Every structure is written in C-alpha cells, then in structure tokens.
C-alpha cells in the first residue's frame, strides 16, 4: 500500500478533527449532566445557622411559629425557599420543631395546647411527642444555639413516612 505524504496529512487532519469533536462533545455532556447528579444542597442548612429572633422576644410556655428563608443549590440553579419552625421556650430550655409533618410533609399547626397536622389528623403534645394519627414519629427537633441574645437554628429536612429521623 502506497501512502503519499498528502494522504497521510489528510488522514491525520481527519483524525484530529474527529478527536476534537469527540472531546468537546464529551466535555459539553459532562457540563450538562454532572450538576444534576449532585444532591440538592441547602446553603443555610446542614452547616449554616439561621437567625430566628432575640431570645427575650420569645414568650414563655407559648409556641411561636417562625418563617425561615433558605438558599438552595440544585445543580447549576440557586434558589430560595421558605420553611417554618415552631419554637417553645420554657424558662431555661428551648424546643425547636420543624413545622413539616413527618408523615406526608403537610404543615403542622398549633391549637388547643397540641400540635396538629390537619391533612391526616396527626397530633403531638407541645413537647413534640406523637399522641395519635398516622405520623410514624415525633415532631422533628432541630438543633439550635444562642449567640448573645439571638436564637439561631440549623434547619434540616428529614425523610418522610419513616419511624426513624433520617436527614435528607
């Protein structure tokens, strides 16, 4: 087989063009796919603390509902979401509960000295202990800290409809 210089250079040119096209296609595919494989990550949860209120402004023995604005990264997109928490101050102790029902994720409200999920009629005492209904566990307690006179919470979501409190 007779290979001329012209044929050899043309073949190398085609191989180079094919290799560049394949590499750029692979990089573009990875750029598009890899972020969607990452887990949804909340900037304000897991490792970040969110300020709720001054400790002195929270009344004793009375649940107070607070709304949090959290930043979330999902792939390349960054957005904000609102979540609610219930805070109960009892003299020197504080309980902070997620306002998300552990059963199906509905909103938890407070009425007549008990927490209630109106979607499926689950009830909890004011200490978060489940009393009745289809919810498989107690209300999800959240970590908190006090910085000066400010109450801060570390918001976290948990797997729904499981007996164990599993962070997601």
């Amino acid at each position: 087989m007779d290979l001329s210089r012209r044929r050899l250079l043309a073949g190398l040119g085609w191989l180079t063009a094919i290799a560049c096209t394949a590499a750029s296609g692979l990089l573009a595919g990875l750029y598009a796919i890899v972020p969607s494989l990452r887990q949804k990550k909340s900037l304000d949860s897991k490792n970040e603390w969110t300020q709720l209120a001054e400790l002195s402004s929270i009344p004793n023995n009375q649940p107070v509902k607070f709304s949090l604005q959290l930043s979330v990264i999902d792939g390349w997109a960054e957005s904000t979401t609102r979540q609610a928490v219930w805070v109960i101050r009892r003299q020197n102790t504080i309980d902070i509960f997620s306002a998300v029902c552990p059963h199906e994720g509905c909103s938890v409200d407070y009425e007549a000295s008990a927490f209630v999920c109106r979607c499926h009629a689950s009830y909890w005492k004011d200490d978060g202990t489940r009393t009745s209904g289809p919810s498989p566990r107690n209300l999800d307690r959240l970590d908190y800290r006090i910085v000066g006179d400010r109450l801060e919470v570390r918001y976290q979501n948990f797997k729904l409809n499981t007996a164990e409190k599993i962070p997601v």
Side-chain angles (χ1 to χ4, degrees):
M1 183 162 151
D2 182 25
L3 277 179
S4 68
R5 185 185 307 175
R6 182 177 291 167
R7 258 183 107 159
L8 178 64
L9 290 175
L12 287 175
W14 277 108
L15 281 175
T16 303
I18 291 170
C20 287
T21 302
S24 63
L26 178 66
L27 290 174
L30 288 174
Y31 182 82
I33 293 171
V34 168
S36 65
L37 299 176
R38 293 190 314 183
Q39 278 190 332
K40 199 180 265 193
K41 178 183 168 192
S42 173
L43 294 176
D44 297 315
S45 67
K46 308 260 187 206
N47 298 317
E48 296 294 325
W49 296 92
T50 304
Q51 291 186 3
L52 286 180
E54 290 184 14
L55 196 56
S56 58
S57 70
I58 301 171
N60 274 319
N61 301 316
Q62 180 181 345
V64 180
K65 191 174 189 179
F66 289 94
S67 180
L68 307 172
Q69 185 168 326
L70 306 171
S71 298
V72 178
I73 296 176
D74 189 9
W76 296 108
E78 183 176 335
S79 61
T80 57
T81 183
R82 286 202 160 302
Q83 295 293 340
V85 297
W86 283 100
V87 178
I88 302 178
R89 179 179 177 191
R90 295 180 184 91
Q91 302 298 9
N92 296 328
T93 64
I94 295 175
D95 288 321
I96 301 180
F97 303 107
S98 171
V100 175
C101 177
H103 177 230
E104 292 292 332
C106 296
S107 180
V108 173
D109 291 316
Y110 187 83
E111 61 182 40
S113 68
F115 289 106
V116 60
C117 173
R118 292 188 179 100
C119 293
H120 304 103
S122 288
Y123 291 88
W124 300 267
K125 295 179 187 176
D126 69 354
D127 66 356
T129 305
R130 186 178 78 81
T131 57
S132 66
S135 178
R137 65 176 181 264
N138 297 335
L139 286 177
D140 294 323
R141 198 176 296 268
L142 300 172
D143 292 335
Y144 72 91
R145 69 181 182 187
I146 299 170
V147 178
D149 187 40
R150 303 279 312 165
L151 179 62
E152 298 180 351
V153 65
R154 186 184 318 198
Y155 190 83
Q156 197 168 11
N157 288 311
F158 299 95
K159 188 172 183 177
L160 299 175
N161 214 13
T162 61
E164 302 87 36
K165 181 176 153 183
I166 302 169
V168 291

